Amino acid sequence: MKRPDLARQLVDVGRAFYSRGWVMGTSGNFSAVLSTRPLRLLITPSAAHKGRLAARDFLQIDADGRVLGRSRGRPSAETRLHLEIVNSRGAGCVLHTHSVWSTILSERHRDRGGLTIQGLEMLKGLDGVTTHDHEEWVPILANDQDMTRLSSRLRDTLAEHRTAHAILLSGHGLYTWGRTIADAERQIEILEFLFEVIGTRER
Amino acid sequence: MKRPDLARQLVDVGRAFYSRGWVMGTSGNFSAVLSTRPLRLLITPSAAHKGRLAARDFLQIDADGRVLGRSRGRPSAETRLHLEIVNSRGAGCVLHTHSVWSTILSERHRDRGGLTIQGLEMLKGLDGVTTHDHEEWVPILANDQDMTRLSSRLRDTLAEHRTAHAILLSGHGLYTWGRTIADAERQIEILEFLFEVIGTRER
Amino acid sequence: MKRPDLARQLVDVGRAFYSRGWVMGTSGNFSAVLSTRPLRLLITPSAAHKGRLAARDFLQIDADGRVLGRSRGRPSAETRLHLEIVNSRGAGCVLHTHSVWSTILSERHRDRGGLTIQGLEMLKGLDGVTTHDHEEWVPILANDQDMTRLSSRLRDTLAEHRTAHAILLSGHGLYTWGRTIADAERQIEILEFLFEVIGTRER
Amino acid sequence: MKRPDLARQLVDVGRAFYSRGWVMGTSGNFSAVLSTRPLRLLITPSAAHKGRLAARDFLQIDADGRVLGRSRGRPSAETRLHLEIVNSRGAGCVLHTHSVWSTILSERHRDRGGLTIQGLEMLKGLDGVTTHDHEEWVPILANDQDMTRLSSRLRDTLAEHRTAHAILLSGHGLYTWGRTIADAERQIEILEFLFEVIGTRER
């Protein structure tokens, strides 16, 4: 798929997530792979409102997070996290949201290092899961403003939990990914639904 | 009603349910009867996003769940459940949703085999109910990925509870039906409302 | 204001309330006064979906609830309640909604015969209230399918509580009114907000 | 920016906030600075529905809250609060909302004189905050219908808490501000999100 198509799709993702309250303020960031050799990533600029993105707002970066071409914006501060996920999982799209439930659950379960979701039909929406009788471990990383340190811990976590479909940052939000933008968007919907079920049930 | 009209109506149902968070990811499935002799059912394809259906996405199946005509998609994995309901209830439309509240209540009340809703005016929205002084039993079936076994249990449950307007699958979601698509849609709205009242009240 | 304008306004009210989940299924009903001498009321037909009304769906009734002119529909079963309110309060519009919170609170406070709302700035949105330091008593009537009996009890309650801005029917919903459609709509918004605050706080 | 542009932006803010339930009834009010020398403020009229504002509804006032030019409306009763904030903070825009969560939290934490928000990534959406490891104190003022007294207390509070990004009025709602309308809108989104997280967590 070409850059304009990917950008348009991410604009729509932003609008949909904003209407559900998952990217309030300037929170959240999205990326999609333009090419793999060399790696070129389309990514949301820092401090943009995700519900009102325009296709021209997106930046193109390389494997080191450097912006290519002329551009006014800076890439999202969390660019390195996107690159780690693309490298570790071979993802074509990485989506990051900040919802009320992912914030609450990521704090509540932080000391256990993650949370388990099991026995729910909705799990079948995760890539490769074929039964509700599945145990999904969502690792939770402590939040950190030092992106070098955080991306290194993320790399280790992704390597340790090869089957995880998502990562939570404590008090911060959710990262998930997919082969395509539609796949990653579906996983955000699935996980946010599951977090709401678990959060409401636990109270 | 003709196929294009039924398909268009189901597309609108999908959009409305998606906006309320009842068919997140690729969850949920919908069907409508095209003809009864021989039985022809219009049904959502497997793994489709229910908020962004197009009329051409729907499949036409026969009484054994075989796809008729040329089509790229596979019918929903839960096709047999739709056929059981159509056969048992003479329904013209079957709708299945996965909401947060139906997921929570279907797990919470599973061991009792169902849940009772009574004394609420909203019950009058269910087909044939004329007073709030009504006791609605919603049977809950354990979830199962074996569709032959699950559809057989569903058949028995429908036979045992002749007056039930709906069935819950545990940790999975809601099935209801109606003579028309509008009737089934109304019942989904009524039941989701009642589940939210009960779930909120029980906490 | 003329009939087409009133009908169009009520169509918009229905759409707005439906999007907020206050008139799910075919619940709720709305009326507006066309003329006072003789009394002519525009009212929603029975069993209509309030989110998808058309201006032509509305019925015109007289002071005894009889339908005037040619019409396919029957007036709402709760027509007598609308007439009582118009007569008692001189209202130009009566709106009835079924929300999750009005259902829960009307059951929870039924045995006390009503609920008090006080100390909240939002109370100033009620007609004639000029300070948050106001005590609003919302009477709760037991629900009843006998409309003659219920409307008689409503008449007594309206006479007894001359300053009440609204009435709850237990397990059923909210009635409020205003000089204009906009006034009644504003009061529904205010009361539903206040019910959500109280219901959430009480848990 | 010119008056029509500012008015149009505030109309959009009203629509967005209304859809989220933050300015129900006729609650809330918005202002934007047209010029600083002399001070000219565009402000919502009293008793307007914030979800259905038109650009022509806005009033222009001076530093004493007097309406300039021909106008049918009266400025919002809380005009003095807007002027205090503009003077104290050099804000270009002041936004006031009434949400369910700000109402609940402002009452729950009133006796402590404010509430602390800390450790959450979303705090970085507040002006000048660069880490989740930030402690935000949101002062809570007792509600008051005497605007002279309330604006005097607000002035003192703003002077005492130089770094506060927002003020809560007890049982009433939230005030925040920004250099631009977009900045103030972003802070409302951030704070409402944080209130929902805290309110849900505390239960």
Side-chain angles (χ1 to χ4, degrees):
Chain A
M1 210 176 288
K2 299 288 182 37
R3 184 196 148 118
D5 296 314
L6 293 173
R8 264 195 296 269
Q9 273 191 62
L10 290 176
V11 166
D12 288 344
V13 165
R15 238 181 251 136
F17 287 5
Y18 178 60
S19 79
R20 296 203 188 265
W22 297 341
V23 288
M24 298 305 271
T26 55
S27 71
N29 37 67
F30 316 144
S31 69
V33 172
L34 283 163
S35 72
T36 50
R37 292 178 197 190
L39 182 66
R40 294 289 179 264
L41 206 63
L42 205 61
I43 194 161
T44 41
S46 183
H49 189 293
K50 303 310 172 301
R52 295 160 197 165
L53 290 167
R56 67 175 175 281
D57 295 337
F58 288 85
L59 304 174
Q60 192 173 331
I61 61 169
D62 67 14
D64 298 313
R66 275 183 302 244
V67 178
L68 305 176
R70 283 176 300 179
S71 166
R72 291 167 308 171
R74 284 178 309 114
S76 169
E78 290 158 22
T79 297
R80 281 161 182 266
L81 308 184
H82 286 252
L83 289 167
E84 289 298 344
I85 291 169
V86 167
N87 289 332
S88 163
R89 294 301 202 249
C93 173
V94 179
L95 300 178
H96 170 44
T97 51
H98 292 219
S99 73
V100 166
W101 285 115
S102 68
T103 301
I104 290 173
L105 291 181
S106 66
E107 290 205 308
R108 212 187 263 166
H109 295 263
R110 176 176 38 191
D111 292 347
R112 270 158 283 182
L115 68 90
T116 299
I117 313 174
Q118 58 187 326
L120 295 170
E121 180 74 11
M122 195 60 96
L123 287 162
K124 288 171 65 185
L126 299 178
D127 186 41
V129 176
T130 57
T131 169
H132 65 283
D133 195 13
H134 166 82
E135 198 167 303
E136 179 75 18
W137 173 253
V138 185
I140 301 176
L141 292 178
N143 198 17
D144 199 332
Q145 298 305 323
D146 181 331
M147 285 298 145
T148 308
R149 199 163 54 199
L150 184 55
S151 61
S152 160
R153 284 197 286 122
L154 175 62
R155 185 166 55 241
D156 294 347
T157 303
L158 289 165
E160 192 184 344
H161 302 280
R162 297 303 308 171
T163 59
H165 292 85
I167 303 279
L168 282 168
L169 297 183
S170 170
H172 183 153
L174 171 67
Y175 272 90
T176 192
W177 51 85
R179 202 176 50 81
T180 65
I181 293 174
D183 288 342
E185 186 184 11
R186 189 190 70 237
Q187 293 208 157
I188 287 279
E189 291 190 4
I190 297 293
L191 290 159
E192 290 294 354
F193 176 91
L194 291 166
F195 292 160
E196 188 175 345
V197 167
I198 287 171
T200 305
R201 216 165 59 179
E202 279 181 353
R203 273 213 289 255
Chain B
M1 209 177 288
K2 298 287 182 39
R3 183 196 150 118
D5 296 315
L6 292 173
R8 263 195 297 268
Q9 273 190 62
L10 290 176
V11 166
D12 288 344
V13 165
R15 239 182 250 135
F17 287 4
Y18 178 60
S19 78
R20 296 203 188 264
W22 297 341
V23 288
M24 298 306 271
T26 55
S27 70
N29 37 67
F30 316 144
S31 70
V33 172
L34 283 164
S35 71
T36 50
R37 291 177 199 192
L39 182 66
R40 294 289 179 265
L41 205 63
L42 206 60
I43 194 161
T44 41
S46 184
H49 189 293
K50 303 311 173 298
R52 295 160 197 166
L53 291 167
R56 66 177 175 280
D57 295 337
F58 288 85
L59 304 174
Q60 192 172 330
I61 61 170
D62 68 14
D64 298 314
R66 275 182 304 242
V67 178
L68 305 176
R70 282 176 301 179
S71 167
R72 292 167 308 172
R74 284 177 310 113
S76 169
E78 290 158 24
T79 296
R80 281 161 182 265
L81 307 184
H82 286 252
L83 289 166
E84 289 298 343
I85 291 169
V86 167
N87 289 332
S88 162
R89 294 300 202 252
C93 174
V94 179
L95 300 177
H96 170 46
T97 50
H98 291 221
S99 72
V100 167
W101 285 115
S102 68
T103 301
I104 290 173
L105 291 181
S106 66
E107 290 205 308
R108 212 187 263 165
H109 294 263
R110 175 176 39 191
D111 292 347
R112 270 157 282 182
L115 68 91
T116 299
I117 314 174
Q118 58 186 327
L120 295 170
E121 180 75 9
M122 196 60 96
L123 286 163
K124 288 171 65 184
L126 299 178
D127 186 41
V129 175
T130 57
T131 169
H132 65 281
D133 195 12
H134 166 82
E135 199 168 301
E136 180 74 18
W137 175 252
V138 184
I140 301 174
L141 292 178
N143 198 16
D144 199 332
Q145 299 304 323
D146 181 332
M147 285 298 145
T148 309
R149 198 163 54 199
L150 184 55
S151 61
S152 160
R153 285 197 286 122
L154 175 61
R155 185 166 56 242
D156 294 347
T157 302
L158 289 166
E160 192 183 345
H161 301 280
R162 297 303 307 171
T163 59
H165 292 86
I167 303 280
L168 282 167
L169 298 183
S170 170
H172 182 155
L174 171 68
Y175 273 90
T176 192
W177 51 85
R179 201 174 51 81
T180 65
I181 294 174
D183 289 342
E185 187 183 11
R186 190 189 70 238
Q187 294 207 157
I188 288 279
E189 291 191 5
I190 297 292
L191 290 159
E192 290 294 353
F193 176 92
L194 291 166
F195 292 160
E196 188 175 345
V197 167
I198 288 171
T200 305
R201 216 166 58 181
E202 279 181 355
R203 272 215 289 256
Chain C
M1 209 176 290
K2 298 287 182 38
R3 184 195 148 119
D5 296 314
L6 292 173
R8 263 195 297 268
Q9 273 190 61
L10 290 175
V11 166
D12 288 344
V13 165
R15 238 181 251 135
F17 286 4
Y18 178 61
S19 79
R20 296 204 188 263
W22 297 342
V23 288
M24 298 305 272
T26 55
S27 70
N29 37 67
F30 315 144
S31 69
V33 172
L34 283 163
S35 71
T36 49
R37 292 176 199 191
L39 182 66
R40 293 290 179 263
L41 206 62
L42 206 62
I43 194 161
T44 41
S46 185
H49 189 292
K50 301 312 172 300
R52 295 160 197 166
L53 290 167
R56 66 176 176 282
D57 294 338
F58 288 85
L59 304 175
Q60 193 173 331
I61 60 169
D62 66 15
D64 298 313
R66 276 183 303 242
V67 178
L68 305 176
R70 282 177 300 181
S71 167
R72 291 167 308 171
R74 285 177 309 112
S76 169
E78 290 158 23
T79 296
R80 282 160 181 266
L81 307 184
H82 286 252
L83 289 167
E84 290 297 344
I85 291 170
V86 167
N87 289 331
S88 162
R89 292 301 200 251
C93 174
V94 179
L95 300 177
H96 170 46
T97 51
H98 292 220
S99 73
V100 167
W101 285 114
S102 67
T103 301
I104 290 173
L105 290 182
S106 66
E107 290 204 309
R108 212 186 263 167
H109 294 263
R110 175 174 39 190
D111 294 346
R112 270 158 283 182
L115 68 91
T116 299
I117 314 174
Q118 59 187 328
L120 296 169
E121 180 74 10
M122 196 61 96
L123 286 163
K124 287 171 65 184
L126 299 179
D127 186 41
V129 176
T130 57
T131 171
H132 65 282
D133 194 12
H134 166 81
E135 199 168 299
E136 179 75 19
W137 174 254
V138 184
I140 301 175
L141 292 177
N143 198 16
D144 198 332
Q145 299 304 323
D146 181 331
M147 284 299 144
T148 308
R149 199 162 54 198
L150 184 55
S151 61
S152 160
R153 284 197 287 122
L154 175 61
R155 186 165 55 241
D156 294 348
T157 302
L158 289 166
E160 192 184 345
H161 301 280
R162 298 301 308 170
T163 60
H165 292 85
I167 302 279
L168 282 167
L169 298 183
S170 170
H172 182 154
L174 170 68
Y175 273 91
T176 191
W177 51 85
R179 201 174 52 80
T180 65
I181 293 174
D183 289 341
E185 187 184 11
R186 189 190 71 238
Q187 293 207 157
I188 287 280
E189 290 190 5
I190 297 292
L191 290 159
E192 290 294 355
F193 176 92
L194 291 166
F195 292 160
E196 188 175 344
V197 168
I198 288 172
T200 305
R201 216 166 58 180
E202 280 181 353
R203 274 213 288 255
Chain D
M1 209 175 287
K2 300 286 183 39
R3 185 195 148 118
D5 295 315
L6 292 173
R8 263 194 297 269
Q9 273 191 61
L10 290 176
V11 166
D12 288 344
V13 165
R15 238 181 251 136
F17 287 4
Y18 178 61
S19 79
R20 295 203 189 264
W22 297 341
V23 288
M24 299 305 272
T26 55
S27 70
N29 37 68
F30 316 144
S31 69
V33 172
L34 283 163
S35 71
T36 49
R37 292 179 197 187
L39 182 66
R40 293 291 178 264
L41 206 63
L42 205 61
I43 194 161
T44 41
S46 184
H49 189 292
K50 302 311 172 300
R52 295 159 197 166
L53 290 167
R56 67 175 174 281
D57 294 338
F58 288 85
L59 303 175
Q60 193 173 331
I61 61 170
D62 66 15
D64 297 313
R66 277 183 302 243
V67 178
L68 305 176
R70 282 177 300 179
S71 167
R72 290 168 308 172
R74 284 178 309 113
S76 169
E78 290 159 22
T79 296
R80 282 160 182 265
L81 307 184
H82 286 252
L83 289 167
E84 289 297 345
I85 291 170
V86 167
N87 289 331
S88 162
R89 292 301 200 250
C93 173
V94 179
L95 300 177
H96 170 45
T97 50
H98 292 219
S99 73
V100 167
W101 285 114
S102 66
T103 301
I104 290 173
L105 290 181
S106 65
E107 290 205 309
R108 212 186 263 167
H109 294 264
R110 177 176 36 192
D111 293 346
R112 270 158 282 183
L115 68 91
T116 299
I117 314 174
Q118 59 186 325
L120 296 169
E121 180 74 9
M122 196 61 96
L123 287 163
K124 287 171 65 186
L126 299 179
D127 186 41
V129 175
T130 58
T131 170
H132 65 281
D133 195 12
H134 165 81
E135 198 168 304
E136 180 75 18
W137 174 253
V138 184
I140 301 175
L141 291 178
N143 198 16
D144 199 332
Q145 299 304 322
D146 181 331
M147 285 298 145
T148 308
R149 200 163 54 199
L150 184 54
S151 61
S152 160
R153 285 197 286 123
L154 176 61
R155 185 166 55 243
D156 294 347
T157 302
L158 289 165
E160 192 184 346
H161 301 280
R162 296 304 307 172
T163 59
H165 292 85
I167 302 279
L168 282 168
L169 297 184
S170 170
H172 183 153
L174 170 67
Y175 272 91
T176 193
W177 51 85
R179 201 175 52 81
T180 65
I181 293 173
D183 289 341
E185 186 183 12
R186 189 190 71 238
Q187 293 207 157
I188 287 279
E189 291 190 6
I190 297 293
L191 290 159
E192 290 294 355
F193 176 91
L194 291 167
F195 292 160
E196 187 174 344
V197 167
I198 288 172
T200 305
R201 217 166 57 180
E202 280 181 353
R203 274 213 288 256

